[in-house]
Amino acid sequence: MRIEQNYKLDFKDVLIRPKRSTLSSRAEVNLIREYKFKHTAKTWRGIPIIAANMDHTGTFAIAKVLSRHQLLTAIHKFIDPNVWQQFSSEHPQVIVSCFISSGISDDDFKNLQIIMKKVTSEFICLDVANGYTQHFVDFVRRVRAAFPEKIIMAGNVVTGEMVEELIISGADIVKIGIGPGSVCTTRNKTGVGYPQLSAIIECADAAHGLKGLVCADGGCADPGDVAKAFAAGADFVMLGGMFAGHDETEGEIIEKNGKRYKQFYGMSSAAAMMKYHGKVADYRASEGKSILIPYKGPVEDTVLDILGGLRSTCTYVGAQSLKELSKRTTFVMASQQVNDVHGK
Ligand code: 5GP
């Protein structure tokens, strides 16, 4: 047994120090980024925020709104190929901003091949709770070999050496985060995890050294956290809980004691396992929870709130574009984040 003595940080442990700036208005801030990818001769331009590939948030209805603002959506993996095909033919301009998600079984691979024949999306998201297995690395290699022209995002991991392994094996973007998610119980069930801000800083460094990119996934509770993730070096940020509870998410509105909610659950929760597999296997602990999240109305309002927050962060540190934010950031360690005397 070893102990890593360096203190690792989460979003709640830091604030971004303001800096002298010549920007006069938030409207001057450019949030569009342009990326080239390690394994594919492609260029993508847009605002690098992605709706999570959870069945509640990774929906075509979310994608329609997010794509209007040049954001991306990782469509969840339980969509039938024929539904993909129909949406793709009706909304070709939206589909180009969607990730096709897949697990790592042989059936998942076959399903991915079928969907890829039917739609024109450039993005694949290979997603497992634990990205540290050789089986996962082999799967990334297999998908890279089958789709040399596609942009592949793979995860999740939280350490530099595994980021390097996945990039070398064919990933263009590595997804970072074990245990920070809003409906995740991995840390409670297993004791495994890594403070998310430090994970982003360390993994971005490893990825950028190989011309790879990282996507910070999980733990953003408000726009300030999204800004901290970008400031820490994330190239993309994935959001589940912040996009949950809107009109465009999956599920009905539930009324309880005069208030409106939507059900939101982790993809490894007992609720998700029952829905898609009909049971929770004996050998598996559920590593997600199911909650009622207050109903939030149209997702467009939340998108604008996040983008407004990000522009404001950039003006506070004098960054004219999102690309400059991380270079202009000094984090200060903080023991208190906000004054919550009147509640949050
Ligand atoms: P959030 O933005 O809600 O904090 O985090 C979203 C992320 O949580 C997802 O993109 C995914 O990586 C992770 N996640 C979703 N469902 C589960 C689950 O059931 N268990 C765990 N451990 N993580 C989950």
Side-chain angles (χ1 to χ4, degrees):
M1 190 274 291
R2 283 185 61 221
I3 299 183
E4 164 78 69
Q5 298 284 355
N6 289 341
Y7 199 67
K8 303 292 177 183
L9 302 168
D10 236 311
F11 297 130
K12 67 168 179 33
D13 298 316
V14 300
L15 289 165
I16 298 170
R17 188 168 73 185
K19 253 195 183 71
R20 198 174 66 79
S21 158
T22 52
L23 295 175
S24 53
S25 153
R26 290 182 212 185
E28 290 176 30
V29 175
N30 175 18
L31 297 180
I32 301 280
R33 293 228 49 187
E34 181 171 307
Y35 293 129
K36 292 191 188 326
F37 300 92
K38 179 173 175 87
H39 296 280
T40 45
K42 298 252 160 73
T43 303
W44 174 83
R45 274 173 62 79
I47 300 178
I49 294 176
I50 310 172
N53 53 309
M54 302 169 77
D55 64 358
H56 182 72
T57 54
T59 66
F60 289 130
I62 286 273
K64 277 195 212 168
V65 180
L66 265 55
S67 74
R68 282 208 298 272
H69 294 274
Q70 294 177 271
L71 275 57
L72 296 158
T73 302
I75 302 294
H76 71 82
K77 69 175 182 180
F78 299 103
I79 302 269
D80 186 87
N82 293 325
V83 177
W84 265 108
Q85 185 170 31
Q86 191 182 344
F87 186 82
S88 176
S89 60
E90 287 168 4
H91 302 280
Q93 75 292 0
V94 177
I95 217 76
V96 292
S97 65
C98 290
F99 281 83
I100 299 166
S101 304
S102 171
I104 59 166
S105 68
D106 284 342
D107 282 349
D108 288 325
F109 187 73
K110 280 185 210 139
N111 197 48
L112 179 63
Q113 284 179 309
I114 294 169
I115 296 172
M116 293 307 275
K117 285 206 182 94
K118 292 178 186 278
V119 304
T120 50
S121 174
E122 297 296 343
F123 299 98
I124 296 173
C125 170
L126 302 178
D127 186 35
V128 285
N130 172 6
Y132 281 79
T133 65
Q134 187 59 40
H135 180 56
F136 183 55
V137 174
D138 293 342
F139 195 83
V140 172
R141 283 182 193 282
R142 186 176 173 193
V143 174
R144 171 51 70 208
F147 305 105
E149 301 299 319
K150 299 293 174 186
I151 297 155
I152 298 177
M153 176 162 75
N156 281 20
V157 299
V158 285
T159 50
E161 95 285 0
M162 209 58 206
V163 168
E164 289 168 0
E165 172 92 36
L166 291 172
I167 290 173
I168 290 164
S169 303
D172 297 296
I173 310 165
V174 178
K175 205 146 66 77
I176 309 302
I178 294 195
S182 59
V183 282
C184 164
T185 56
T186 294
R187 293 177 185 176
N188 315 60
K189 289 288 168 76
T190 67
V192 176
Y194 207 98
Q196 184 69 350
L197 188 93
S198 290
I200 297 167
I201 293 170
E202 293 168 23
C203 291
D205 191 45
H208 296 164
L210 289 176
K211 294 197 164 28
L213 301 172
V214 292
C215 172
D217 175 22
C220 290
D222 48 39
D225 292 339
V226 180
K228 288 174 187 174
F230 283 120
D235 304 293
F236 293 87
V237 176
M238 178 173 265
L239 304 174
M242 284 181 69
F243 284 141
H246 292 96
D247 289 329
E248 298 82 356
T249 58
E250 191 59 41
E252 299 302 313
I253 294 174
I254 298 163
E255 297 242 5
K256 212 173 163 187
N257 302 328
K259 294 205 170 112
R260 294 193 287 174
Y261 301 90
K262 280 195 144 188
Q263 195 194 10
F264 178 47
Y265 49 81
M267 295 311 288
S268 305
S269 64
M273 286 192 242
M274 287 304 292
K275 182 165 179 186
Y276 295 109
H277 305 292
K279 61 177 190 280
V280 178
D282 293 343
Y283 63 88
R284 280 191 75 157
S286 133
E287 287 182 19
K289 56 188 161 190
S290 176
I291 61 157
L292 288 179
I293 191 160
Y295 166 64
K296 302 178 192 162
V299 73
E300 175 127 41
D301 294 349
T302 296
V303 170
L304 295 176
D305 193 44
I306 295 169
L307 301 188
L310 263 181
R311 284 196 191 91
S312 191
T313 311
C314 289
T315 36
Y316 271 112
V317 300
Q320 195 140 31
S321 64
L322 185 58
K323 185 177 181 189
E324 284 175 32
L325 174 58
S326 143
K327 291 183 201 119
R328 295 190 63 91
T329 290
T330 303
F331 286 118
V332 288
M333 312 257 276
S335 58
Q336 187 177 343
Q337 288 280 309
V338 290
N339 181 343
D340 56 7
V341 68
H342 301 303
K344 212 187 157 208

